Amino acid sequence: IKYYFGEKTPSYSRLFAYILSSACGYTVDEKKQIYDDDILCKWFVEQSEIPAFTFKVGKKNSIMTVNEIEPIFARLLESFLLALIV
């Protein structure tokens, strides 16, 4: 779970990332590095100054089937609901 998207990332974003992690079992990415695919989240955090999170799921560079998506979605559903509250 990535939570850091630049200098305007709220200080409590890390705590929330760990709360989301405890709900789904995914690890928190502690790297303070911005990648090309983080541009939308970085823009969102800069404009709103509220937390943003990305969840990296599935296999690298492969399209997932519906049968692969359903168990992942079930695993992440509680975290998604928590993210709405946060």
Side-chain angles (χ1 to χ4, degrees):
I1 301 172
K2 185 166 176 64
Y3 69 90
Y4 181 82
F5 298 102
E7 294 176 6
K8 291 203 175 184
T9 298
S11 59
Y12 55 89
S13 296
R14 182 175 183 267
L15 172 63
F16 287 166
Y18 275 96
I19 292 170
L20 298 174
S21 173
S22 70
C24 67
Y26 279 48
T27 59
V28 175
D29 181 355
E30 291 285 353
K31 297 178 194 116
K32 305 279 194 230
Q33 188 172 1
I34 307 295
Y35 300 101
D36 289 342
D37 58 350
D38 295 331
I39 291 172
L40 181 60
C41 286
K42 184 177 189 283
W43 174 85
F44 175 80
V45 169
E46 287 173 352
Q47 298 302 310
S48 66
E49 296 187 24
I50 61 175
F53 307 97
T54 58
F55 292 74
K56 303 284 183 177
V57 299
K59 300 171 187 162
K60 200 175 210 179
N61 298 324
S62 74
I63 298 172
M64 295 170 46
T65 67
V66 172
N67 292 337
E68 292 173 310
I69 293 171
E70 286 180 6
I72 292 171
F73 181 77
R75 181 178 179 185
L76 294 175
L77 183 58
E78 183 179 350
S79 293
F80 292 158
L81 294 173
L82 281 170
L84 289 173
I85 295 168
V86 171

